[in-house]
Each structure stands twice: as structure tokens, then as C-alpha cells.
Amino acid sequence: DGELFKAVARGNGEVGEVITANARTFKNIPLKISYKGDLIIRGEAVITYSDFEMINAGIEDADSKYKNPRNLCSGSVRQLDSKVTAARNVRMYAFSLVSSEDFDFNNSFEEQFKFLQKLGFEVVEYKRVDKDNILDTIEWFARSIENNNIPSDGLVLSYDDLAYGQSLGRTAKFPRNAIAFKWQDEIKETVLRDIEWSPSRTGLINPVAIFDTIDLEGTNVSRASLHNISYVEDLKLGIGDKITVYKANMIIPQIAENLTKSGKITIPHSCPVCGGDTEIRQDADTKMLYCTNMDCAAKKIKAFGRFVERNAMNIEGLSEATLEKFISLGFIKEFSDIYKLERYKDSIVTLEGFGEKSYDNILESIENSKDCNLHAFINSLGIAGIGSANAKLLCKAFDNDLDNLMNASAEDISAVDGMGDILANGFVEYMHTDANIREINELRSILRFIKVEVDESTQTLSGKTFVITGSLNNYANRDELKALIEEKGGKVAGSVSSKTDALINNDATSNSSKNKKAKELGINSILYTFC
């Protein structure tokens, strides 16, 4: 009815975050429009360079100033207090009209932009091009973005003809009616001063380059990941070498080239956190450094970090730095200790950077996390190979029952599509370790698992297994079709087998391996157009 109903950030890419209250404070989103039908728009939230500089100018402490407008904007849209968001002058620029009710755009992508502008929305800057002026227009953009008040990492070339563009379909990730391409990365020279070795929860020790600070894409940069020992050796890095650095996708610092190539790097024989022995392991052609101490504190910190992640227990306020501080002070030794932090309130509120408000916010987030999905809990445990996707598969296969999961055999687990013998054995070993059993039972006495209700009348595909192949025409991507099948009780496998009930296909005459296998096994083929 012409009023802003809901605003959602993309969240983890699968489940978004509702930010409607914050979006109402954005500087350029009209809260009421003349169009009364349902309208869905996709856009980018930004803080301009000028607003960013103004915000930082009001902060006296140099160490407290924000690093860049992109990170500030990301945090601003997710603020619990909308007043904070309002003070940061967030704006939204629309780049796609996802859907609208019964409105004729004369089959024109450009007309959609004009429609949105008439309603009061700001859209991304665009130019109409053809074969004669496209190169000149790219050059114009290249010059103009240097003085833009917002960053630009590239351009998108899209067909104006909506029907033709839609007829091209899409790949699993991208529509075929458009091409995106990035500007060449800004590259600057600096000097490598040190390599920091950073242990992870798996024991992998990651090398990080420390170099003289340089300004890249509007921010100060002094560190870059070196990934593994093979990467360090290939670059022939040495302390004091002259290197060139760029930001991949304008975000992640990377070393482009080593101009000196001295190769003078010593691989540490002991873990920088616990002092335990290290060893070099080779996976295919890649050499990686590991800490061999099972009780390394860094491994525990990373594990706790995994536990509180958004896809896991979703506890805001417990950053890795905060967890490290709490662990070092003895407040947290096990996962369940997170739910007993009130015992240390008097100590926590006196810590540097903390106070009553910070403590209350953390406790509130901890309390909210007690109501959780079982698959999020399983993911939070950090079992090797069991991430968010596999946790969902397992929970669904075992009726969202924790006891069923804890008592499952390796054969039971490996029978779940996508779970091989290695993952199954690792999962069962975890669930049958006394210390893990004690911790899980302690946590389940605290948590409240959300009961998953299934309407059996909607499970029209129960017991059926499908395989999807080829590009999609009637669905945004394979995940959308997969979600629909699973919602109706079916399963989606990655390969055709004798257990497959149907191959969902866009071309039954294709000579793809899945098509051939389906024909050999006499498996039905369902065309996308039929779906």
C-alpha cells in the first residue's frame, strides 16, 4: 500500500537479517510512495566518503576512528539502536527491481530505473550504450569515479530488452543477461618488515605479511595474508624485500609481486601461542604449517569463535578478542561457561573497554541464543567437516532429535546423502568422546531447541530423490529449486544413481554424464519448463 514494509540485509547469504527499523533512518529511502502494489527492490547501502570523514572528524581519539566507510556501513545497518544508524547518514542506491505487481515497463530495463526514480528512489549511475559508444562510456566512467563520493569497483553491462535477457536463463550463480567486470586494482610498493604466524582452531598456522603502511583504495593497509608456506616460498619472500600490494575486490589486501626475492624466511619450529612443536604437512602440492599441541590455547579461542558465529549460536558481542580476554582470565573454559558469565559480572564491567552497558548487551545476546535450531547447535560444536550445510542435512535425516544424532552409528551417518565414511567416522567419534558427551549434555540443559513442525500433508515428495543438472530457466538458482524440493520432503543428490527417482533437466537430449547415466538406469527426466 505504498509504505515501506520490510528491509532485509543479505545476512549469511542464505538467511537474511531484518533491518526495517534501521532502513527507515536511511537518508534517501522514501517511506511512502505513490505506487500501491507489492514492490521488491535490491540495492547497496553506502556511507559516502564525505560523511565518513565528517563522522571521523568528530572522534578525538585517533585509535577510535573508523578504518573505512565500507566496514562502518556494514556495522551501521545492523545496529541494535536505530538512532546510531540515523547519525551515520546511510544511503541506499537501487540497482535492481526484483519484482512489481502489474506494471508495464515497455520491456525496458532502463524504464525500471526511471520508474524507481519517479517514486523517489536513488538508483546507481548508469549510461545507455551501444556498439558505437560503449568504449567511450567505459573511459568516461573510469575518469568520473575518481571524484565520486562513493567507491566503485567495476561496471555491469546488461541488456535493456527484459524479455530477451530473461530468455537467456542463468548459470547456478549468475544471470546470463549481464556481464560484470572490475576495474584494475590499485597497486603500491612497500617493504616487508615481518611475518606473523597466526594459529587457527584446526592447528593450521597461517603466515601474515607485515609491511610499511600504505594507502590503498582509501584505507591504510599494513598486513596481508600469505595463505601457506608454499605461497611464501613461491614469492621468495624475505624480511626487507620490496613488494607490491593490491586489494582483491577492493577489500582483501594481497601481495602482487616480490621485487627483491631474497627468500630469507625462517619457518618457526614452535607455535607462537603455546610453544608446542610445529610440523609441515603437504596436501597435494601445498605445504602448510601446523601446531601439534592438542591443548593449544589458540585452538580453543578459534573453537569458541566458531561457537558464537552467526550461523552457529549467534552471540553478538563476543568477538575473538573478547573471547581471548575471557579465556585468559579463566572466565571461559568450556562452551557452557559462556552461559554462566554472570558469575563474573563484577570483574567484567571493570575491564578496559567494558562497562555495564557492554555487559548487559552481551548477556542479552547470550540469553537470546538459548532459543536455537538444532542444526545451528551442531554447527557450533566445530566437528571436523560438519559445517552449516552438513549440519542441516544430518538434523533433517535424524528427525531433528539430538539423541538420535548422538546414538547414530557411522553406517547411519554415512547413509545420509553427502556424508562419506570419513565425515561419518569423525562425527561418531566426536559424539562418543566422554568429554564431548558431558559438554553436550550440559549445554542441552541450558538451551531450548526450537521444535521443527512438519505438515505431513505438504510432504508430496517424501521418499523421493532428485538430481538437478544444466542451467535453470524458471528458478533463480539450484538452491532455490533444491529448497522447494526439500520443503516438500524430497532429497536432492549430487549424482545420478540407482536411488535417483528423477533427473531434473533443461535438455533431455543432452549428452552430459548425468543424462547418459539416467538413460542407462532408466530414470525419468523432468524438464525445467515442465516444472
Side-chain angles (χ1 to χ4, degrees):
D1 295 323
E3 294 190 11
L4 176 61
F5 173 70
K6 183 182 287 186
V8 184
R10 66 183 177 186
N12 60 16
E14 183 174 329
V15 179
E17 297 173 273
V18 178
I19 58 165
T20 311
N22 289 343
R24 293 183 191 280
T25 72
F26 286 9
K27 295 302 178 183
N28 64 342
I29 291 185
L31 301 183
K32 292 186 178 182
I33 58 176
S34 58
Y35 179 71
K36 301 301 180 183
D38 284 347
L39 181 67
I40 302 176
I41 305 165
R42 185 172 291 128
E44 186 81 6
V46 302
I47 291 177
T48 64
Y49 288 131
S50 56
D51 282 332
F52 175 74
E53 291 168 2
M54 180 184 69
I55 293 169
N56 263 348
I59 302 174
E60 294 183 1
D61 181 10
D63 292 335
S64 298
K65 292 181 183 290
Y66 298 108
K67 303 303 181 185
N68 60 70
R70 186 181 187 124
N71 289 351
L72 176 60
C73 185
S74 177
S76 297
V77 301
R78 298 173 57 239
Q79 283 289 324
L80 297 178
D81 186 350
S82 296
K83 293 179 181 178
V84 176
T85 307
R88 293 180 180 173
N89 294 342
V90 181
R91 301 172 185 273
M92 191 278 284
Y93 290 91
F95 58 74
S96 173
L97 195 161
V98 180
S99 68
S100 60
E101 286 185 0
D102 303 324
F103 196 91
D104 184 10
F105 297 107
N106 297 318
N107 196 37
S108 170
F109 186 69
E110 184 179 22
E111 287 300 316
Q112 291 185 335
F113 273 173
K114 291 180 178 179
F115 169 72
L116 293 177
Q117 288 174 311
K118 287 178 181 178
L119 294 178
F121 294 95
E122 289 192 67
V123 301
V124 291
E125 189 171 17
Y126 68 93
K127 295 281 186 180
R128 191 179 186 91
V129 296
D130 55 32
K131 63 183 178 62
D132 296 321
N133 69 353
I134 182 171
L135 296 180
D136 290 338
T137 305
I138 291 173
E139 289 182 11
W140 178 86
F141 268 115
R143 292 190 303 270
S144 66
I145 64 167
E146 294 178 2
N147 300 312
N148 272 6
N149 206 15
I150 58 174
S152 169
D153 62 355
L155 298 174
V156 176
L157 179 66
S158 179
Y159 285 113
D160 184 55
D161 188 322
L162 294 173
Y164 177 67
Q166 187 175 11
S167 73
L168 299 175
R170 57 186 297 133
T171 66
K173 293 184 177 180
F174 307 111
R176 287 198 169 103
N177 69 324
I179 301 171
F181 51 100
K182 306 290 185 181
W183 300 113
Q184 184 174 350
D185 295 304
E186 180 182 13
I187 298 178
K188 287 192 177 179
E189 185 178 311
T190 185
V191 177
L192 180 67
R193 296 300 181 189
D194 195 10
I195 290 184
E196 181 181 282
W197 298 87
S198 176
S200 69
R201 70 181 183 89
T202 63
L204 176 65
I205 302 178
N206 299 296
V208 179
I210 312 298
F211 44 80
D212 290 342
T213 302
I214 52 176
D215 178 69
L216 271 180
E217 311 287 1
T219 62
N220 291 328
V221 178
S222 59
R223 303 163 63 89
S225 173
L226 295 173
H227 308 296
N228 51 62
I229 293 176
S230 295
Y231 189 82
V232 172
E233 291 177 345
D234 289 344
L235 284 171
K236 298 180 181 177
L237 289 173
I239 306 304
D241 282 357
K242 289 184 179 180
I243 58 175
T244 59
V245 181
Y246 70 100
K247 272 189 179 180
N249 294 325
M250 297 181 70
I251 303 172
I252 305 171
Q254 300 281 337
I255 293 179
E257 187 179 5
N258 181 7
L259 304 177
T260 309
K261 297 183 179 180
S262 69
K264 297 177 181 177
I265 289 295
T266 301
I267 308 300
H269 296 290
S270 60
C271 172
V273 171
C274 69
D277 292 338
T278 64
E279 68 177 16
I280 297 174
R281 302 175 188 171
Q282 185 135 353
D283 182 5
D285 296 327
T286 303
K287 290 193 287 186
M288 294 171 287
L289 187 67
Y290 282 86
C291 171
T292 60
N293 178 15
M294 295 301 295
D295 294 320
C296 178
K299 296 179 183 179
K300 294 182 179 180
I301 292 167
K302 298 295 182 181
F304 281 106
R306 165 72 173 269
F307 184 83
V308 302
E309 280 180 355
R310 190 184 306 166
N311 289 339
M313 297 310 296
N314 191 23
I315 303 176
E316 294 185 3
L318 287 182
S319 65
E320 199 166 286
T322 298
L323 286 168
E324 185 172 5
K325 187 175 292 186
F326 286 178
I327 290 170
S328 66
L329 292 170
F331 300 165
I332 297 175
K333 298 183 179 68
E334 299 176 334
F335 292 145
S336 56
D337 290 332
I338 291 175
Y339 294 94
K340 304 168 186 175
L341 282 176
E342 67 273 7
R343 296 179 296 183
Y344 305 102
K345 177 181 178 179
D346 293 342
S347 298
I348 292 174
V349 296
T350 61
L351 294 175
E352 183 179 353
F354 285 84
E356 291 280 351
K357 182 64 174 176
S358 297
Y359 170 83
D360 289 342
N361 287 342
I362 290 175
L363 262 289
E364 182 182 3
S365 186
I366 290 172
E367 182 61 32
N368 291 339
S369 76
K370 290 180 181 179
D371 293 299
C372 65
N373 291 306
L374 180 61
H375 64 76
F377 172 70
I378 297 299
N379 179 35
S380 76
L381 298 176
I383 305 170
I386 309 299
S388 180
N390 280 341
K392 288 179 181 178
L393 284 175
L394 286 172
C395 289
K396 183 175 181 181
F398 289 89
D399 300 322
N400 282 285
D401 187 297
L402 181 55
D403 287 322
N404 289 349
L405 283 168
M406 293 180 71
N407 295 325
S409 66
E411 291 76 15
D412 295 332
I413 300 295
S414 61
V416 178
D417 286 334
M419 302 295 294
D421 291 340
I422 294 176
L423 290 181
N425 289 328
F427 183 86
V428 171
E429 182 180 352
Y430 184 96
M431 288 296 181
H432 285 74
T433 301
D434 289 343
N436 295 335
I437 293 172
R438 286 194 299 272
E439 180 67 343
I440 290 173
N441 286 333
E442 179 66 19
L443 284 166
R444 75 190 302 183
S445 71
I446 298 169
L447 303 176
R448 300 179 289 265
F449 295 120
I450 298 170
K451 188 175 181 180
V452 179
E453 299 288 351
V454 178
D455 184 352
E456 294 299 331
S457 66
T458 67
Q459 304 298 287
T460 54
L461 299 180
S462 180
K464 302 292 184 183
T465 300
F466 300 86
V467 174
I468 305 170
T469 187
S471 59
L472 291 160
N473 296 321
N474 299 328
Y475 296 90
N477 50 48
R478 290 189 186 184
D479 286 340
E480 182 180 308
L481 180 54
K482 180 180 177 182
L484 178 63
I485 292 170
E486 291 177 345
E487 184 181 315
K488 295 180 180 296
K491 293 182 180 180
V492 177
S495 59
V496 176
S497 71
S498 58
K499 297 180 180 179
T500 304
D501 290 284
L503 174 67
I504 302 179
N505 198 349
N506 68 336
D507 181 6
T509 64
S510 168
N511 287 319
S512 70
S513 58
K514 289 179 181 177
N515 254 317
K516 289 180 179 178
K517 186 70 173 178
K519 290 175 181 176
E520 290 173 5
L521 297 173
I523 292 169
N524 292 327
S525 183
I526 302 174
L527 294 179
Y528 285 142
T529 50
F530 174 77
C531 292

